[in-house]
Amino acid sequence: MMRKKRRPSAGKGEGATSTTKAKKSRSTAPKSKEPAPEETNERVFGVFLREAGVTLKQAGTSNEIAVDQIVFQKRLQKQLQKSPRYPGIVQEFAAGLESHIEDPERFRNCLLPCVPRLSDGNSDNVSSFQESLLRMLLGIEMLQTVIINTLLEKLPEFMFDGAGDGGLNIPHTIINQFKWLDRVMDSKELAAKLMELVSVAPVEVQRDIISSLPEILEDSQHNDIAKELNSLLQENTQITVPILDALSSLNLSSSILTEVRGAVMVTLAAVQLEDLPVVVKFILHSVSASDAYEVVRDLRKKLELEQCVLPLVLQASQSLIKSKGSAGSASAPSAGSSQDSVTLILDGIKSAVRFQKTISEAWLKAIESVDEEEDHKVLDLLVLFILHSTNANQSRRGAERVLKVKVRSGFIQEVLLQRTFRDYAQVMRGYFPSILALAQSLLRSPDPCVVPFGGHMYRHSFTAFDSYCQQEVVGSLVTHVCSGVGGEVDMALELLCGLVTEKHSEMALYAVFVKGILDYMDNLTPQQIRRLFHLLSSLAFGQQQQQGSHIQDDMHIVIRKQLSSTVPKYKRIGIIGAVRIVGSMGAARLKGKESKNVSLPQETLRHVTALLELVKSSIESSPEAAALYYDELSNLMLSSTLDPQVQENIGKCVIDDFQVDFVADLGPEMSGSFPLTPCVMYDLEGQGNIAINLLPLLANDIKTKGEQHSQTTKAHKRVSPLGLCPFFRLLRVCEHRLHQGDLDEIDGLLGCPLILTDMDVMEKMESRSKAEREFLCTLLFYTINWFREVINAFCEQKETEMKMKVMTRLQNITYLQTLLERALAVTPGFVPPVANFDGESTDGVTLSSAAPVSKAKKDGAGKKRKAPAKISSESGSQLDEATEAEKTQQEQPEKEVRHSVSLVPYRPYFRELDMEVLNVLQCGLLSCSLLDSELHTKVREEVLLGPAELVFLLEDMHRKLEFSLTAAPAKRTPFFKGRADKSLGFSHLQQRSPKDIASYCVQLLPALCSHLENCHNHFQTMMSENNGIVDGPATDVQEHNLMSSGYQLLLQVLNTTLSWSGFSQPGQRSLLKKALGVLAVRLKEESAELTLAQLVKHSFKYLVNLRGTMPSLSAALCLSQLLSTVSEKGGDPAAFREQTASLAKQFLGQGWVTARGERERGNKFNEALHTLLRMYLEHVDDVLKAVEEIAAVGIPELLRASKDESSTSWPTLNRSTFLVFYKVLMAELEKAIRKIPAANVSDNTEAQNEKLLTWNLAVRDFHVLVNLVKVFDSRPVLNVCLKYGRLFLESFLKLGMPLLDNSFKRHMEDVQSLLKTFQLSTRQLHHMCGHSKILQDTSLTNHVPALKKSLELFVYRVKAMLMLNNCQEAFWIGNLKNRNLKGEEILSQRSQESDEDEDEDEEPRSPLPRDQSEVEAAETDSEESKAVNGEVEEEDATDDSD
């Protein structure tokens, strides 16, 4: 009762009043007659403790214990139990404790550990550490409940006090007394009281109580307390962390855990930043394998890291406020603390994925399931880096795979990466090894779509991280450059150049690393060498020279060494390097804000001049080296801004030297002996008195070479015609730079005549000597190259007269090319003079020229084997277009006497045309080449392109676009480099980015569309005049061929432009819309406000209108491909697919003839037909019906037609194209059945019926195609049938048989019919295997073992199906005899009683009596064989040798 009376005073916060009472001195006599009740209880409390071994001390001194705490507890319990007042003595003891701890200091002593008593000298029985007095009393069961109540009543007195003077937090210490008790007498009541306290306590005490619950409560209480904590969590987010910590340590059932996790997920958005790591850790560590994906997906959606990190501007302003000592800023989260919180969140994710495989798989799946670019977050990239950083190989590979897929599809782009590096640089620093490894992997990828993203990762890593990471980035990029893989080297060099431009001072520290690439230049292309020296010279000789000056001497040493080399390859490297150093040293200096040029220091100018003189002295005896030097100087002056003094130094003697070396005055006669009679040709000036001294120069050069070969002469400067074009290019660039684009001083060279020979010599070429023929071929090459370089120079002139002269020069080129084709035909083994001097060394060309002339294929760019007269244009290079080949092929009958060869293999020997030349395409088109011969009339004339010139320009444009816009996968260089660099002839083009080229093409689109419409109108007019046929009597064959080639090239150019992968990048969307807008506006539509889908629709409609005037199947294919490309850019794909399929079918159902009225044929035609037919079957809605239409209608029509005729419904199907049709039909049929959905047991009847019907149609198509082998039994047809027959059979076993398993009972007759049809096909395949063995053709017998295995599997799979459906009695096996294609037994097998190679055949049937079934089966087989044999007899009469 006493305790109850005192409880209100203890519950109030007025403990100070109780302590003010006068305390009785403990030194008075203990046996006072009338002591107070409190004093008596307290004395009882003290006596019992003292007898048990604990001495209570005054404030400031810890209580002492003389015995071990276990001994103390036993003694005290025994004393209480033996007391005569037991059990009342327990209440007195408790009351004494309450009285004792009324004093805060004494209460503090009881909470602190007791100290061993050492005064008696016997401390061996006491351990060094003892619990507090209250803790020891809680361990006594009879006292526990009373003391717990006392402590919980005492707790509110100190709730708001915080830590005392000694740093002791009383509430925290009280709660600690309850932890880890050996036994709790009433755990349920304790839990209830603790939760009551939580409801009223301040936040700090709440956190202490909740965090301690797992150590206080028994396991039986865990689920109940979890529910209470869950409800508390939803009410108060301030105590989220301790609640989650407690829940993590509780032993909970899965249902409660799921409920709690759901509640936590709901409050995730309201959780404070510093609490997020604990929340995320709890969520991830509480998932099971079954719900991992759903939990991770929800967590990913709700976790917004972007809101956790302040933008850079706010970070800066916040740090400024803090630096001023603002009091309010102390509570705001700093940038560093937010970064730390994000780091802790990621650490939580990392620990989860490291120790639970299901979590890592769930993260990958969650990221992979995002199918919109804007839905991707910074968190996705960070998690991928985390997954890659774990040691599990599967996790690494998965992260790499997902990143590549997302980058390739455009869902993760550079903007997201940039944001991640900008806001989370400190966090990402910890994952730098993974970032570096992923960047390396992406940069090495053969997929060109992902390579740039790897480059962005490198660039941002260098920018955002510390010097160690920068060194690693540079080292890795240098490794990429030294790998020798083309795309990898280009991207790495581009990145290094970009870093030098953006971060010159940082990159200068690592110049030594970059310099190491100089040891690996053997594997670099000329363009890569240019970039390398540009990079190094920028570091060493740039405007901040002092930082990279330590590699200047090394650079000079390398350049001098290379220039002095006698090996052309190394001299070429030296020239390129020296010119790039001149570009860096002599670059124009801009002065600060005024952007005014600052004159170059005299010392630097002296170094530049000395280096130029060094190069000049090293090239005097080598025309090839001199030509390269002129070209490199031209490129330098075009691509960079040099100091005016350097420009003047280069250009001061160019004009004079050119006139002295290459221009001659025209006199009454030319003295000297020449292989051919000199003649002045191609004069456009009329009264010019100078000419390009080409023929005499060439003759002198040949003579000089002969003298040098015959005797050793001192090296001196040689004037060779090799230098004519490069020197003129340098002259033109110098004039352009010095006179701000004005070429008036040299415009006379455009119409200047050349000293050549009369081209009548072509009539008697065969009678000329080999030396004369080769001399003429060389002269033609030089002349064509001169005209090409002249067009490069003057193509941008605006005056009509200049435009007319440029057009005339284009006509000169096309005419001279026809002469050259004839000259080369009678000059086998001829090696042309080099025109592009930065390619493979001329030694390689000379060596390959000795090859036999019967080889027509090009060995490599710059290394060729020439074709004799009989070889047509099909002997092309990797850049061979069908157009040129067809042109040559179609022109040959007209020139039956004058054979000619294609110039395709000779393209690297022509000078490169600049992109600006394509501006000429903006002129109109003449259907006949009729230019006015009067060039000086005052009336403004319209400059028009002829068909030959149009084709010439379009061929060049198409090659350029194929090279620059078509991304080829990076391939590792083979050990034996048999082919030369494919970039030969594209040096100028390589220095422009694909984006620039695509933009330039879009500007030309209106002109291209005009030409396209002109070609369309030309053929429309021609067909209307000839009553709808192309081979009318008035048709000009040559013009028809040229217009046809131009039409096809225009379609190819448009397709290549629109197929550029860069259009998929977000920054190029406007350029794509502009390109499509050009096409759309041709339909008189306003394209300004149209969406992309509308633009695609109108562009598609515009192009479809061209379908009626296709001159050839190749052109029709190009139009179909162009339409397919346009349809992929947006809009309704289903509608576009239908129209594309319809158009392809229209082209396949059209008879294609040449201008001479002959049916188109040949390899090129077959290749185009193959592609078009495949496109039709890929775009058609129902492939199986389309295959049946051709196989069951078109081919029987062909069989009934005469030998040279075609199918009536498919005119492109004839006996020469049957193999093309057969191969495509078999391939697409096999591809189509692989797309049939797999059967499921859960499928309803309707779904089963639909799949069964689909398989029935597929098997019927297959049966028809296999049976065609009996008529068309040529080896290629058999090969196709064996190959795709096995693939069809394997797909049927994998996808079709499970469907039959499930459908057999419901649709027994349908399944039986399907198997019977398929059995006939398998029997035919069996006969083909035997036929292949008879022929002993390895190309056929290679397919036999795998096919036989599949046939055997089929037999046993059918048996398994019948057994599954309890119909095994409906199955019997009989041995098939080996037969040939005609069904005749193979005689060598008859004598053997058993043959291991014989296949087995099955006969599924309805469960009838055995005798009846066998009879029916025999009758069925007999009827089938009769039908098949009858068909064979009928078809044998019309069998084709194919």
PDB file of all heavy atoms in Angstrom, residues 1127-1145:
ATOM      1  N   SER A1127       9.506   4.590 -93.727  1.00  0.00           N
ATOM      2  CA  SER A1127       8.435   4.123 -92.836  1.00  0.00           C
ATOM      3  C   SER A1127       8.940   3.843 -91.428  1.00  0.00           C
ATOM      4  O   SER A1127       8.160   3.859 -90.470  1.00  0.00           O
ATOM      5  CB  SER A1127       7.790   2.864 -93.413  1.00  0.00           C
ATOM      6  OG  SER A1127       8.710   1.787 -93.423  1.00  0.00           O
ATOM      7  N   GLU A1128      10.233   3.580 -91.275  1.00  0.00           N
ATOM      8  CA  GLU A1128      10.788   3.289 -89.951  1.00  0.00           C
ATOM      9  C   GLU A1128      10.962   4.543 -89.098  1.00  0.00           C
ATOM     10  O   GLU A1128      11.240   4.442 -87.899  1.00  0.00           O
ATOM     11  CB  GLU A1128      12.159   2.599 -90.095  1.00  0.00           C
ATOM     12  CG  GLU A1128      12.076   1.187 -90.646  1.00  0.00           C
ATOM     13  CD  GLU A1128      13.436   0.653 -91.034  1.00  0.00           C
ATOM     14  OE1 GLU A1128      14.433   1.383 -90.850  1.00  0.00           O
ATOM     15  OE2 GLU A1128      13.514  -0.487 -91.527  1.00  0.00           O
ATOM     16  N   LYS A1129      10.805   5.716 -89.703  1.00  0.00           N
ATOM     17  CA  LYS A1129      11.050   6.953 -88.967  1.00  0.00           C
ATOM     18  C   LYS A1129       9.863   7.379 -88.103  1.00  0.00           C
ATOM     19  O   LYS A1129       9.984   8.277 -87.288  1.00  0.00           O
ATOM     20  CB  LYS A1129      11.398   8.097 -89.938  1.00  0.00           C
ATOM     21  CG  LYS A1129      12.600   7.820 -90.839  1.00  0.00           C
ATOM     22  CD  LYS A1129      13.846   7.557 -90.018  1.00  0.00           C
ATOM     23  CE  LYS A1129      15.030   7.208 -90.916  1.00  0.00           C
ATOM     24  NZ  LYS A1129      16.210   6.820 -90.142  1.00  0.00           N
ATOM     25  N   GLY A1130       8.696   6.748 -88.266  1.00  0.00           N
ATOM     26  CA  GLY A1130       7.540   7.095 -87.445  1.00  0.00           C
ATOM     27  C   GLY A1130       6.252   6.798 -88.176  1.00  0.00           C
ATOM     28  O   GLY A1130       6.245   6.282 -89.299  1.00  0.00           O
ATOM     29  N   GLY A1131       5.129   7.115 -87.524  1.00  0.00           N
ATOM     30  CA  GLY A1131       3.836   6.893 -88.146  1.00  0.00           C
ATOM     31  C   GLY A1131       3.276   5.523 -87.840  1.00  0.00           C
ATOM     32  O   GLY A1131       3.674   4.850 -86.884  1.00  0.00           O
ATOM     33  N   ASP A1132       2.317   5.094 -88.678  1.00  0.00           N
ATOM     34  CA  ASP A1132       1.624   3.822 -88.479  1.00  0.00           C
ATOM     35  C   ASP A1132       2.379   2.706 -89.188  1.00  0.00           C
ATOM     36  O   ASP A1132       2.318   2.604 -90.419  1.00  0.00           O
ATOM     37  CB  ASP A1132       0.201   3.941 -89.042  1.00  0.00           C
ATOM     38  CG  ASP A1132      -0.585   2.644 -88.855  1.00  0.00           C
ATOM     39  OD1 ASP A1132      -0.107   1.785 -88.076  1.00  0.00           O
ATOM     40  OD2 ASP A1132      -1.641   2.489 -89.482  1.00  0.00           O
ATOM     41  N   PRO A1133       3.109   1.856 -88.456  1.00  0.00           N
ATOM     42  CA  PRO A1133       3.926   0.836 -89.126  1.00  0.00           C
ATOM     43  C   PRO A1133       3.106  -0.192 -89.887  1.00  0.00           C
ATOM     44  O   PRO A1133       3.519  -0.677 -90.938  1.00  0.00           O
ATOM     45  CB  PRO A1133       4.705   0.188 -87.969  1.00  0.00           C
ATOM     46  CG  PRO A1133       3.922   0.511 -86.732  1.00  0.00           C
ATOM     47  CD  PRO A1133       3.243   1.805 -86.994  1.00  0.00           C
ATOM     48  N   ALA A1134       1.907  -0.533 -89.375  1.00  0.00           N
ATOM     49  CA  ALA A1134       1.101  -1.575 -90.034  1.00  0.00           C
ATOM     50  C   ALA A1134       0.683  -1.130 -91.437  1.00  0.00           C
ATOM     51  O   ALA A1134       0.766  -1.900 -92.400  1.00  0.00           O
ATOM     52  CB  ALA A1134      -0.121  -1.881 -89.176  1.00  0.00           C
ATOM     53  N   ALA A1135       0.230   0.126 -91.556  1.00  0.00           N
ATOM     54  CA  ALA A1135      -0.196   0.630 -92.868  1.00  0.00           C
ATOM     55  C   ALA A1135       0.973   0.680 -93.841  1.00  0.00           C
ATOM     56  O   ALA A1135       0.834   0.326 -95.023  1.00  0.00           O
ATOM     57  CB  ALA A1135      -0.809   2.021 -92.705  1.00  0.00           C
ATOM     58  N   PHE A1136       2.137   1.122 -93.346  1.00  0.00           N
ATOM     59  CA  PHE A1136       3.320   1.185 -94.218  1.00  0.00           C
ATOM     60  C   PHE A1136       3.752  -0.210 -94.644  1.00  0.00           C
ATOM     61  O   PHE A1136       4.171  -0.420 -95.790  1.00  0.00           O
ATOM     62  CB  PHE A1136       4.458   1.902 -93.499  1.00  0.00           C
ATOM     63  CG  PHE A1136       4.220   3.373 -93.302  1.00  0.00           C
ATOM     64  CD1 PHE A1136       4.579   4.002 -92.120  1.00  0.00           C
ATOM     65  CD2 PHE A1136       3.626   4.135 -94.295  1.00  0.00           C
ATOM     66  CE1 PHE A1136       4.358   5.364 -91.937  1.00  0.00           C
ATOM     67  CE2 PHE A1136       3.401   5.494 -94.122  1.00  0.00           C
ATOM     68  CZ  PHE A1136       3.762   6.109 -92.934  1.00  0.00           C
ATOM     69  N   ARG A1137       3.676  -1.179 -93.744  1.00  0.00           N
ATOM     70  CA  ARG A1137       4.058  -2.550 -94.090  1.00  0.00           C
ATOM     71  C   ARG A1137       3.171  -3.086 -95.216  1.00  0.00           C
ATOM     72  O   ARG A1137       3.658  -3.707 -96.162  1.00  0.00           O
ATOM     73  CB  ARG A1137       3.937  -3.461 -92.863  1.00  0.00           C
ATOM     74  CG  ARG A1137       5.063  -3.335 -91.864  1.00  0.00           C
ATOM     75  CD  ARG A1137       4.818  -4.225 -90.663  1.00  0.00           C
ATOM     76  NE  ARG A1137       4.786  -5.624 -91.055  1.00  0.00           N
ATOM     77  CZ  ARG A1137       5.859  -6.392 -91.165  1.00  0.00           C
ATOM     78  NH1 ARG A1137       7.047  -5.879 -90.903  1.00  0.00           N
ATOM     79  NH2 ARG A1137       5.765  -7.651 -91.525  1.00  0.00           N
ATOM     80  N   GLU A1138       1.899  -2.802 -95.080  1.00  0.00           N
ATOM     81  CA  GLU A1138       0.960  -3.296 -96.093  1.00  0.00           C
ATOM     82  C   GLU A1138       1.255  -2.675 -97.454  1.00  0.00           C
ATOM     83  O   GLU A1138       1.267  -3.367 -98.481  1.00  0.00           O
ATOM     84  CB  GLU A1138      -0.468  -2.968 -95.643  1.00  0.00           C
ATOM     85  CG  GLU A1138      -1.532  -3.506 -96.578  1.00  0.00           C
ATOM     86  CD  GLU A1138      -2.940  -3.153 -96.107  1.00  0.00           C
ATOM     87  OE1 GLU A1138      -3.073  -2.672 -94.963  1.00  0.00           O
ATOM     88  OE2 GLU A1138      -3.884  -3.347 -96.896  1.00  0.00           O
ATOM     89  N   GLN A1139       1.493  -1.364 -97.475  1.00  0.00           N
ATOM     90  CA  GLN A1139       1.780  -0.699 -98.753  1.00  0.00           C
ATOM     91  C   GLN A1139       3.105  -1.173 -99.345  1.00  0.00           C
ATOM     92  O   GLN A1139       3.213  -1.369-100.561  1.00  0.00           O
ATOM     93  CB  GLN A1139       1.827   0.820 -98.535  1.00  0.00           C
ATOM     94  CG  GLN A1139       0.478   1.440 -98.242  1.00  0.00           C
ATOM     95  CD  GLN A1139       0.561   2.957 -98.173  1.00  0.00           C
ATOM     96  OE1 GLN A1139       0.866   3.619 -99.153  1.00  0.00           O
ATOM     97  NE2 GLN A1139       0.311   3.505 -96.997  1.00  0.00           N
ATOM     98  N   THR A1140       4.129  -1.367 -98.482  1.00  0.00           N
ATOM     99  CA  THR A1140       5.427  -1.845 -98.973  1.00  0.00           C
ATOM    100  C   THR A1140       5.302  -3.238 -99.557  1.00  0.00           C
ATOM    101  O   THR A1140       5.874  -3.535-100.618  1.00  0.00           O
ATOM    102  CB  THR A1140       6.458  -1.844 -97.822  1.00  0.00           C
ATOM    103  OG1 THR A1140       6.503  -0.546 -97.219  1.00  0.00           O
ATOM    104  CG2 THR A1140       7.843  -2.201 -98.339  1.00  0.00           C
ATOM    105  N   ALA A1141       4.540  -4.114 -98.880  1.00  0.00           N
ATOM    106  CA  ALA A1141       4.340  -5.475 -99.393  1.00  0.00           C
ATOM    107  C   ALA A1141       3.589  -5.439-100.721  1.00  0.00           C
ATOM    108  O   ALA A1141       3.933  -6.165-101.670  1.00  0.00           O
ATOM    109  CB  ALA A1141       3.577  -6.307 -98.367  1.00  0.00           C
ATOM    110  N   SER A1142       2.568  -4.588-100.794  1.00  0.00           N
ATOM    111  CA  SER A1142       1.792  -4.483-102.036  1.00  0.00           C
ATOM    112  C   SER A1142       2.666  -4.006-103.188  1.00  0.00           C
ATOM    113  O   SER A1142       2.581  -4.517-104.313  1.00  0.00           O
ATOM    114  CB  SER A1142       0.624  -3.526-101.807  1.00  0.00           C
ATOM    115  OG  SER A1142      -0.041  -3.269-103.010  1.00  0.00           O
ATOM    116  N   LEU A1143       3.526  -3.025-102.897  1.00  0.00           N
ATOM    117  CA  LEU A1143       4.405  -2.499-103.945  1.00  0.00           C
ATOM    118  C   LEU A1143       5.418  -3.551-104.392  1.00  0.00           C
ATOM    119  O   LEU A1143       5.669  -3.720-105.596  1.00  0.00           O
ATOM    120  CB  LEU A1143       5.133  -1.267-103.406  1.00  0.00           C
ATOM    121  CG  LEU A1143       6.005  -0.507-104.406  1.00  0.00           C
ATOM    122  CD1 LEU A1143       5.142   0.092-105.504  1.00  0.00           C
ATOM    123  CD2 LEU A1143       6.786   0.599-103.711  1.00  0.00           C
ATOM    124  N   ALA A1144       6.001  -4.269-103.426  1.00  0.00           N
ATOM    125  CA  ALA A1144       6.966  -5.319-103.780  1.00  0.00           C
ATOM    126  C   ALA A1144       6.290  -6.395-104.631  1.00  0.00           C
ATOM    127  O   ALA A1144       6.881  -6.903-105.596  1.00  0.00           O
ATOM    128  CB  ALA A1144       7.558  -5.928-102.507  1.00  0.00           C
ATOM    129  N   LYS A1145       5.048  -6.729-104.271  1.00  0.00           N
ATOM    130  CA  LYS A1145       4.317  -7.743-105.061  1.00  0.00           C
ATOM    131  C   LYS A1145       4.066  -7.229-106.480  1.00  0.00           C
ATOM    132  O   LYS A1145       4.167  -7.991-107.453  1.00  0.00           O
ATOM    133  CB  LYS A1145       2.998  -8.070-104.370  1.00  0.00           C
ATOM    134  CG  LYS A1145       2.220  -9.185-105.057  1.00  0.00           C
ATOM    135  CD  LYS A1145       0.942  -9.523-104.295  1.00  0.00           C
ATOM    136  CE  LYS A1145       0.200 -10.656-104.990  1.00  0.00           C
ATOM    137  NZ  LYS A1145      -1.050 -11.007-104.278  1.00  0.00           N
TER     138      LYS A1145
END
